[in-house]
Amino acid sequence: MARAFNFSAGPAMLPEAVMQKAEKEFLNWNNTGMSVMEMSHRSKEYMSVAHQAEADLREVMQIPDNYKVLFLHGGASMQFSGIPLNLTQPNEIVDYFDTGVWSAKAIKEASRYVNVNIVSGGDEANPTEIPDVSTWKFNPKAKYIHLCSNETITGLAFQEAHLEHVFAQGKPVIADMSSDILSRPIDVSRYGIIYAGAQKNIGPAGLAIMVIREDLIGQARDITPSLLNWKTYADNESMFNTPATYSWYLAGLVFDWLKTTGGVASIAKVNQRKAQKLYDYIDQSSFYHNSIAAEQRSWMNVTFFLKNNALDAAFLETSQKAELLSLKGHKAFGGMRASIYNAMPEEGVDALITFLTDFAGRHVNTL
Ligand SMILES: *Cc1c(COP(=O)(O)O)cnc(C)c1O
């Protein structure tokens, strides 16, 4: 099979130009006689790679000077523990939205360390809607508010008006943006912390990136492991121990690619167009359907169901043969999911719509 359109939710497709550059530089980076993978993280060559990656991320996200960028171990999930350990004492209260599986995992970890108030949700595992703000229950004593801006499994995303209501509480807002970071412009200054595992819109798995307002660093509990304490990272340029050097380098190539394609504002237009045409196709179809509230549909993870789910296996087998890969939905939600991150070309979405049309046409008599 040639390089295909890969709709995996993560690890996910990376930009082809990035993969080609990495291939070209793989054995011998910049005439140093070695691969980035073989370099000391303390060497001036590697430091230049690391610094450039941060500078490019700062540029594409327009990160204010009073925010640090940390390159962390353990993916986004490690920070589910890191957040309460760095920001609270055991008897304190924090606010969490429960909008799906990833929120619930963050809540489960935080609950080991601190009292968690659920602002909204929690009655079902995979909600398809974030309820109206009038139903939300913030705790006035909460130290921070945590949310997952894009629930990767269902494709449920916070809408602007909802975020405004969260910011209006005047607390540090902490957002797990693992699956929508860099997908559209955001105002970093409104957040206390933005964090993300790399494997969706940034680079290889294992690495996590955190953009954090400086005043939130330095309050960790004494028991916090050094490698979970953000101050350790901030004081050591994220090199207290050996960082995930090659993942960091690849993330840097992705940030550079984003710059050359016109930045986040420009890719946001493509992302919106990609998502819109896919939802439009699904909505007008009598063969497929999407169950997420219209205003809260993700641009990154488009879930859909075949109305006749007896055809699911045939759908997956045929789509794979058509070189449209990894369309199976998460087992917790079922159905299908097309993850269409920044690296998915618009042609991939067009090819998917053509396939969906064709498959429906051939099986329409089974409805
Ligand atoms: C994938 C994902 C995670 C987990 O990332 P890891 O790097 O595997 O820890 C957390 N939150 C969201 C929203 C995700 O999509």
Side-chain angles (χ1 to χ4, degrees), residues 74-78 80 102 148 150 152 176 178-179 197-200 206:
S77 305
M78 189 71 101
F80 295 165
W102 289 113
C148 174
N150 183 76
T152 318
D176 175 359
S178 292
S179 50
Q199 69 274 29
K200 282 101 187 202

Side-chain angles (χ1 to χ4, degrees), residues 101 105 126 153 305 328-337:
V101 167
K105 288 191 181 188
N126 289 298
I153 289 172
F305 296 86
K328 191 175 195 321
H330 192 282
K331 61 183 183 310
F333 194 54
M336 307 298 159
R337 172 175 54 176

Side-chain angles (χ1 to χ4, degrees), residues 115-147:
N115 302 308
V116 176
N117 170 57
I118 306 296
V119 178
S120 175
D123 351 295
E124 47 180 326
N126 289 298
T128 53
E129 183 169 19
I130 299 171
D132 188 75
V133 297
S134 61
T135 65
W136 295 3
K137 294 189 185 73
F138 292 104
N139 187 304
K141 296 211 188 87
K143 296 273 309 234
Y144 61 78
I145 304 170
H146 181 278
L147 59 89

